């Protein structure tokens, strides 16, 4: 069992949030999803606010009904369910979708097995998970290091006045390929790229899962380190941290300085305690 302590899902300025958070206390399961912002040339799901919104919503619904097993088992079932949902909605095989227009999302899921004292994680970049055992500082669950500096890329493209969507479509055409990057989408082969980790834990341990928009507090703005972010989440609450985050995201003129494509990204986080 796990207990939900706090949660927040705050959309970027003037948008529907493309992040999702979820918690199933009975199954000891918690997750965060970050839909990849639309850059597609043609919308796949025009009835939804955005394609990213639709895809993240589908992933969230599927996770709420996914069976047990390891993170790898869950990821495989989730990917298959997403593939079926996309084909059903578009009334065509996913092979008909241009590779650069394929929907995708970042994901982190954690499961607590009280009987074995095991805390398992699985994820596709770029969400973050922090764990604080009783009486200790929070530590980050290891995740793959990206081979590209997204902030440097954003600074360059924004400074050059480049076609950002076209550049990102070319990058996304390489998703879930050995010469590209692994991400939650509709490709069964992506399971091999799932980042997994397992650690021992005890009741009273707390876990903070968050999307990269929330983790800007650490990674982009340098307001906290991991231990400090966790402490602030516990002592001040996640909504207070959103308020502080948005204080750095009021002016698009700062986008080049910080290296951000979006002045104000969706930001979601979930704090749970193992019981």
């Amino acid at each position: 069992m796990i207990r939900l302590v706090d949660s927040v899902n705050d959309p970027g300025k003037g948008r529907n949030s493309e992040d999702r958070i979820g918690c199933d206390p009975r199954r000891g399961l918690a997750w965060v999803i970050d839909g990849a912002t639309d850059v597609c040339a043609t919308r796949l799901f025009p009835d939804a606010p955005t394609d990213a919104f639709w895809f993240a919503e589908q992933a969230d619904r599927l996770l709420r009904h996914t069976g047990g097993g390891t993170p790898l088992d869950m990821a495989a079932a989730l990917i298959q369910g997403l593939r079926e949902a996309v084909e059903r909605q578009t009334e065509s095989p996913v092979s008909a979708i241009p590779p650069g227009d394929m929907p995708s999302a970042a994901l982190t899921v954690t499961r607590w097995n009280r009987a074995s004292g095991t805390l398992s994680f699985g994820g596709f970049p770029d969400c973050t998970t922090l764990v604080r055992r009783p009486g200790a500082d929070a530590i980050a669950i290891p995740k793959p290091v990206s081979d590209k500096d997204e902030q440097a890329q954003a600074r360059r493209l924004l400074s050059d006045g480049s076609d950002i969507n076209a550049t990102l479509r070319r990058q996304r055409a390489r998703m879930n390929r050995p010469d590209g990057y692994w991400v939650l989408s509709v490709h069964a082969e992506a399971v091999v790229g799932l980042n997994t980790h397992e650690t021992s834990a005890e009741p009273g341990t707390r876990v903070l899962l968050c999307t990269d928009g929330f983790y800007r507090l650490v990674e982009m703005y340098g307001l906290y380190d991991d231990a400090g972010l966790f402490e602030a989440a516990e002592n001040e609450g996640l909504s207070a941290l959103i308020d502080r985050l948005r204080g750095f995201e009021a002016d698009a003129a700062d986008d080049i300085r910080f290296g951000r494509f979006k002045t104000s990204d969706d930001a979601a986080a979930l704090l749970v305690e193992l019981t």
Side-chain angles (χ1 to χ4, degrees):
M1 296 282 288
I2 59 175
R3 178 176 69 88
L4 176 63
V5 178
D6 197 3
S7 65
V8 68
N9 188 357
D10 192 71
K13 192 181 302 180
R15 295 167 359 112
N16 296 284
S17 179
E18 296 161 353
D19 291 352
R20 293 293 181 273
I21 54 178
C23 176
D24 186 332
R26 182 183 56 81
R27 292 193 293 161
L29 191 65
W31 64 87
V32 294
I33 302 165
D34 184 353
T37 300
D38 290 7
V39 297
C40 48
T42 303
R43 289 284 309 276
L44 297 174
F45 318 114
D47 292 336
T50 65
D51 285 4
F53 179 100
W54 184 92
F55 193 74
E57 183 73 8
Q58 296 303 310
D60 181 68
R61 289 177 179 175
L62 286 165
L63 275 174
R64 294 180 187 278
H65 301 286
T66 297
T70 67
L72 283 170
D73 296 330
M74 295 180 64
L78 177 58
I79 291 168
Q80 178 61 29
L82 287 168
R83 185 185 188 94
E84 293 171 358
V86 169
E87 292 185 333
R88 186 166 54 248
Q89 187 71 15
T90 61
E91 299 182 335
S92 62
V94 294
S95 59
I97 300 174
D101 290 351
M102 196 71 72
S104 62
L107 165 75
T108 289
V109 59
T110 184
R111 166 163 275 169
W112 161 234
N113 186 325
R114 196 180 195 281
S116 65
T118 302
L119 193 56
S120 302
F121 305 88
F124 291 107
D126 187 25
C127 297
T128 295
T129 306
L130 306 178
V131 176
R132 186 187 64 74
R133 293 177 172 84
D137 287 336
I139 58 171
I141 295 301
K143 58 183 180 180
V145 178
S146 174
D147 61 357
K148 68 177 184 294
D149 186 333
E150 292 186 2
Q151 286 179 256
Q153 181 189 41
R155 291 188 188 99
R156 176 175 56 80
L157 294 177
L158 290 168
S159 297
D160 294 347
S162 301
D163 186 336
I164 293 173
N165 281 2
T167 299
L168 296 180
R169 277 198 301 273
R170 287 193 294 271
Q171 289 179 188
R172 291 187 187 180
R174 297 168 53 236
M175 73 171 67
N176 295 328
R177 290 173 21 182
D179 64 338
Y181 65 101
W182 302 109
V183 69
L184 178 65
S185 188
V186 299
H187 313 97
E189 56 271 28
V191 171
V192 303
L194 184 75
N195 178 48
T196 60
H197 186 81
E198 190 171 280
T199 186
S200 60
E202 61 186 286
T205 296
R206 287 188 168 188
V207 183
L208 176 68
L209 305 94
C210 64
T211 59
D212 61 349
F214 186 88
Y215 199 62
R216 281 183 174 190
L217 288 161
V218 175
E219 204 162 54
M220 184 173 287
Y221 306 134
L223 301 176
Y224 303 95
D225 59 13
D226 289 337
L229 180 68
F230 206 106
E231 182 178 1
E234 290 188 302
N235 295 338
E236 302 171 33
L238 296 176
S239 293
L241 290 178
I242 290 291
D243 291 341
R244 186 162 194 208
L245 171 72
R246 298 311 185 202
F248 280 76
E249 299 180 335
D251 193 346
D254 291 329
D255 289 353
I256 293 177
R257 177 164 71 95
F258 286 122
R260 60 192 187 196
F261 288 120
K262 291 179 284 189
T263 304
S264 181
D265 196 6
D266 299 337
L270 188 71
L271 180 63
V272 300
E273 180 175 308
L274 311 187
T275 61

